[in-house]
Amino acid sequence: MTTATVQRVRTGRITFFVALAVFAQESTWNLYESQVPPLLRQHLTSAALIGLLMGMDNLLGIFVQPWMGNRSDNTRTSWGRRMPYLVVGMPVAALLFLVIPHVAASLPLLVAVMFAYALIANSFKPIAEALLPDFIAPERRSRANAAVKIASSVTAIVAALISILLIDDHPGLSFAIPSILMVVSVLVLALKVRDSRSPAYQAALAEDREQHAESRARVRVRDIVPDIIKDSDRSRLLLILSILFFGGAWAASRSLITPYGMEALGMSAGEAGGLTLPSGVAFILAAYPVAMLAERFGRLRVMMIGMAAFAAAMVLGTVIRTPTGAMVALCLAAASASAFLVNAVVVLWNLAPSDRVVGTYTGLYTVGWASGGFLGPALVGAMVDVTGWPLMLLDVAIVALVAVLGVARVSALQRRSSTGRAL
């Protein structure tokens, strides 16, 4: 077996394990997002309060994920720096998720379990994703991350099937299935993965030895963030801001589509809520080909093309203002957005100054994306208040174009650079 063949086998193997971990995590998150609100409605009549409680996980993620990613970066054990956290965190999260329907009769208990689940699940989310750049070389990370994103997208279908087939008659079983998936996935990871053998971990150990292990300073989030802000290159800061803006455009295109369909297209709530269903399939079909194109022609170039195509699809939906036109536009937008969703975190990983900090950078990506998910719908909603619902998709396109300009600037800065990073 040639060296190249061995490398492909190793890449495929670790990609499968990371995708399995992400699939199990996202299975719980998708069912959480769809089925916990009805449990809260048994106690609360305020939609705003329900929304606030459901947004608690995003708020926790903004603070917890970079810190935990950084903590794992600085961990040194015989098992590596990621696996100890996953082996502890995933079973605890699975147990907390399992008990949610069993405490739903008490609002204080339900909120307490929701908080505990969100805290633990957010803690290991960036750690699982950071396994990918730990093992896989920069030039092959896009296709590996595409497989992980596809696994994540499939969980929406799994959650929908559980909701349709089980939730009404067997709520306990409905929450048990994703919990079991998470426990099984962590057992497989525990048996098969030793991230102490990863190239990134070995490189981090080599850096430690160079700096003399006895006096090695921990790399802290509060040191990394100012370094990104003060860097004269600005590439990392611009990329994180672009992640925020495009994340905002993407979130607005999903969360506001039901009222858009009702107000601008005259659809019922149920009909409008189904507008995004085909676009999920479009994303899955586009993700891996986009990754291959990015590795061949350059990630930043493919990202810019995809983001511009996303904005163009929103304009198309504005021009062809029919339910069919909206559905087609959303499919084109999702396929185009995959160019960004697959490659943005890979570019951020590859801009990291050292393999010692990829976990922290994974957390920073999530901060940008989650912040966009929080601010984007509000920003687009404010624009809709001025322009009206018929131009909502155009408002989304404007926000996306701001992100395009940010990535274009990063591309220009990198063309002038002689670092030779795989971007």
Side-chain angles (χ1 to χ4, degrees):
M1 188 178 291
T2 66
T3 302
T5 303
V6 172
Q7 180 63 36
R8 282 197 296 272
V9 171
R10 289 175 178 171
T11 299
R13 186 172 179 270
I14 195 62
T15 300
F16 170 78
F17 290 136
V18 175
L20 177 65
V22 171
F23 175 83
Q25 293 174 44
E26 292 299 321
S27 293
T28 63
W29 277 120
N30 274 288
L31 195 66
Y32 178 91
E33 295 291 346
S34 65
Q35 294 304 328
V36 171
L39 299 180
L40 291 171
R41 288 191 63 188
Q42 296 174 10
H43 306 279
L44 302 170
T45 58
S46 170
L49 186 53
I50 292 173
L52 181 65
L53 290 171
M54 290 304 298
M56 175 174 55
D57 59 292
N58 287 319
L59 184 62
L60 283 171
I62 290 173
F63 296 100
V64 171
Q65 292 198 27
W67 183 75
M68 286 301 298
N70 177 254
R71 187 173 180 84
S72 70
D73 283 338
N74 287 295
T75 296
R76 304 288 182 264
T77 73
S78 60
W79 209 343
R81 53 183 177 175
R82 316 291 185 202
M83 287 304 302
Y85 295 98
L86 297 178
V87 169
V88 173
M90 292 179 72
V92 173
L95 178 61
L96 290 167
F97 187 78
L98 178 66
V99 303
I100 286 176
H102 301 288
V103 300
S106 167
L107 179 61
L109 275 178
L110 177 59
V111 172
V113 173
M114 287 171 59
F115 179 85
Y117 165 75
L119 180 64
I120 300 298
N122 269 301
S123 296
F124 62 79
K125 188 175 188 297
I127 295 173
E129 295 172 0
L131 280 172
L132 194 147
D134 278 352
F135 279 92
I136 297 176
E139 62 272 10
R140 296 181 68 87
R141 287 173 179 171
S142 283
R143 68 184 73 183
N145 195 45
V148 172
K149 291 295 184 184
I150 289 170
S152 178
S153 299
V154 170
T155 60
I157 300 173
V158 173
L161 290 174
I162 291 174
S163 295
I164 292 170
L165 299 175
L166 293 174
I167 197 69
D168 290 332
D169 297 323
H170 307 284
L173 180 60
S174 299
F175 280 77
I177 291 173
S179 298
I180 293 169
L181 286 173
M182 188 177 290
V183 172
V184 170
S185 70
V186 76
L187 286 174
V188 172
L189 286 169
L191 292 171
K192 297 295 186 179
V193 178
R194 291 293 183 273
D195 71 289
S196 57
R197 303 170 185 169
S198 72
Y201 187 74
Q202 294 301 315
L205 291 179
E207 287 188 41
D208 292 348
R209 287 191 292 270
E210 290 176 5
Q211 298 175 15
H212 306 291
E214 67 276 6
S215 61
R216 177 175 63 91
R218 293 172 61 88
V219 181
R220 301 171 300 182
V221 176
R222 64 174 179 265
D223 297 325
I224 293 173
V225 173
D227 176 64
I228 292 173
I229 294 172
K230 295 176 183 178
D231 185 5
S232 58
D233 182 84
R234 299 294 186 192
S235 292
R236 293 173 293 172
L237 179 60
L238 285 169
L239 182 59
I240 292 172
L241 290 174
S242 298
I243 291 165
L244 187 154
F245 276 99
F246 196 77
W250 173 261
S253 73
R254 316 302 283 185
S255 64
L256 298 180
I257 197 64
T258 297
Y260 169 79
M262 296 171 66
E263 298 292 337
L265 305 178
M267 304 173 73
S268 69
E271 292 169 340
L275 284 173
T276 59
L277 183 60
S279 65
V281 178
F283 178 91
I284 292 172
L285 294 176
Y288 198 79
V290 158
M292 299 295 289
L293 289 171
E295 292 183 358
R296 180 170 182 179
F297 298 107
R299 294 182 179 89
L300 291 171
R301 181 181 302 173
V302 170
M303 284 168 60
M304 285 188 292
I305 293 172
M307 296 160 74
F310 173 90
M314 294 292 100
V315 174
L316 177 67
T318 303
V319 174
I320 307 175
R321 200 176 302 155
T322 65
T324 301
M327 195 171 293
V328 170
L330 290 170
C331 286
L332 293 173
S336 302
S338 67
F340 185 90
L341 273 70
V342 166
N343 291 296
V345 71
V346 177
V347 173
L348 194 58
W349 285 333
N350 294 350
L351 285 172
S354 166
D355 287 326
R356 292 176 64 188
V357 297
V358 290
T360 308
Y361 273 61
T362 305
L364 291 175
Y365 169 83
T366 304
V367 168
W369 189 258
S371 298
F374 177 70
L375 296 173
L379 174 60
V380 172
M383 296 168 73
V384 167
D385 288 341
V386 176
T387 64
W389 281 105
L391 296 181
M392 190 272 285
L393 296 181
L394 183 61
D395 296 333
V396 171
I398 293 170
V399 176
L401 287 174
V402 175
V404 175
L405 294 175
V407 173
R409 181 58 180 165
V410 174
S411 181
L413 289 170
Q414 291 305 305
R415 283 197 300 270
R416 300 174 191 168
S417 172
S418 58
T419 57
R421 288 172 289 201
L423 300 181

